[in-house]
């Protein structure tokens, strides 16, 4: 007889049984899972944090972890697998204590992200999503993490290391592998990937400095907020194209040239629109 936790959706074909956690580990995870599930009106809404929870046990999402999540939530292993393979923050194979992600999206790449990634590949002797032989560092490309004002950015277990260079990145990974203290540019103190996964599962980070770090971003990220609160000077007023305002005097009507549309012939002399004939329209 098959159950929701050990059959594929719509097929009724039993999977190869996954090994179970040791009794003491399972009891601990079940207690944690019960705490997470209780936060949601619908138990299946707890799937994402439960995947982080099982990832905190083994460092990646195993078949055992998938089976555990399915049993806790009354889902099939196929349903859990579909979610775990969709999101890149869930690992499907063993990886390092420190996930070193180099942003290589457009701005970071232009600012040196590609050079940093290539340097680290050679320095560590690994490729994308590969782990060093000592099991300390997994190197990977990452997508934009909304830190473009600090480009190029490297993230270690999702903590920010801003304004990086190839040389600074090499020192960073060397210190991680040597077990030396490493402090992110901003944000919470650094911890291992398993510890990070437990925090992402929704359990409080009570380490010294962690709560204070969650209060806000860096200075460059908060400029817009300070403008909104009136804590900075007024924005610079730009006159419409072809006009000028007296020095030291703002204009009441047009804060920007975009607010005063021009005819094509006036705004782009190289491509005049010419007169429009009312009779010839249409």
């Amino acid at each position: 007889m098959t159950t929701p936790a050990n059959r594929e959706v719509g097929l009724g074909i039993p999977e190869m049984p996954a090994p179970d956690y040791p009794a003491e580990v399972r009891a601990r995870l079940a207690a944690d899972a019960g705490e997470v599930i209780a936060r949601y009106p619908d138990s299946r809404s707890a799937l994402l944090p439960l995947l982080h929870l099982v990832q905190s046990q083994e460092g990646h999402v195993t078949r055992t972890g998938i089976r555990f999540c399915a049993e806790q939530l009354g889902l099939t292993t196929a349903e859990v697998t579909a979610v775990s393979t969709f999101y890149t923050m869930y690992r499907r194979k063993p990886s390092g204590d420190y996930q070193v992600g180099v942003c290589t999206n457009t701005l970071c790449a232009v600012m040196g992200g590609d050079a940093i990634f290539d340097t680290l590949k050679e320095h560590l002797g690994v490729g994308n999503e590969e782990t060093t032989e000592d099991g300390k560092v997994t190197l990977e490309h990452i997508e934009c993490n909304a830190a473009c004002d600090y480009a190029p950015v490297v993230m270690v277990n999702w903590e920010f290391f801003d304004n990086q260079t190839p040389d600074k990145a090499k020192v960073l990974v060397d210190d991680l592998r040597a077990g030396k203290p490493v402090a992110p540019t901003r944000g919470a103190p650094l911890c291992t990937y398993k510890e990070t996964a437990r925090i992402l599962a929704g359990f409080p980070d009570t380490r010294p400095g962690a709560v204070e770090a969650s209060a806000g971003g860096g200075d460059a990220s908060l400029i817009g907020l300070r403008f909104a609160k009136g804590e900075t000077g007024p924005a610079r007023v730009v006159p419409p194209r072809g006009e000028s305002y007296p020095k030291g005097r703002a204009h009441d009507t047009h804060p920007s040239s975009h607010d005063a549309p021009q005819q094509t012939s006036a705004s782009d002399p190289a491509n005049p629109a010419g007169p429009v004939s009312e009779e010839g329209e249409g």
Side-chain angles (χ1 to χ4, degrees), residues 24 31 62 68 94 109 133 139 211 235 272:
E24 66 279 7
T62 63
F68 175 83
E133 291 184 359
L139 180 65
V211 175

Side-chain angles (χ1 to χ4, degrees), residues 9-164:
V9 175
L11 297 180
I13 301 174
E15 292 180 317
M16 293 294 292
D20 202 354
Y21 291 119
E24 66 279 7
V25 173
R26 183 179 179 84
R28 172 170 48 80
L29 290 177
D32 288 341
E35 182 179 335
V36 172
I37 294 169
R39 300 170 187 163
Y40 299 91
D42 185 339
S43 63
R44 70 180 298 150
S45 299
L47 177 54
L48 296 182
L50 282 196
L51 284 168
H52 283 300
L53 177 63
V54 298
Q55 188 161 246
S56 73
Q57 177 63 34
E58 298 176 270
H60 66 293
V61 178
T62 63
R63 291 176 59 234
T64 301
I66 288 173
R67 173 186 168 187
F68 175 83
C69 291
E71 291 174 348
Q72 295 296 312
L73 300 175
L75 301 175
T76 66
T77 53
E79 289 172 312
V80 176
T81 300
V83 173
S84 69
T85 55
F86 181 83
Y87 295 102
T88 59
M89 290 178 74
Y90 300 123
R91 309 296 173 189
R92 296 308 309 278
K93 62 182 180 180
S95 55
D97 293 332
Y98 299 99
Q99 304 281 333
V100 176
V102 182
C103 181
T104 52
N105 274 187
T106 305
L107 183 58
C108 277
V110 170
M111 297 294 288
D114 284 342
I116 291 172
F117 188 76
D118 290 341
T119 296
L120 290 184
K121 282 198 302 182
E122 181 177 355
H123 184 65
L124 296 172
V126 298
N128 186 42
E129 298 185 353
E130 294 181 355
T131 303
T132 55
E133 291 184 359
D134 58 10
K136 294 291 186 181
V137 170
T138 298
L139 180 65
E140 63 177 351
H141 289 285
I142 56 174
E143 297 299 320
C144 181
N145 279 272
C148 304
D149 39 354
Y150 298 103
V153 171
V154 172
M155 298 193 81
V156 180
N157 294 348
W158 309 110
E159 299 296 346
F160 289 99
F161 290 79
D162 304 319
N163 301 312
Q164 291 292 294

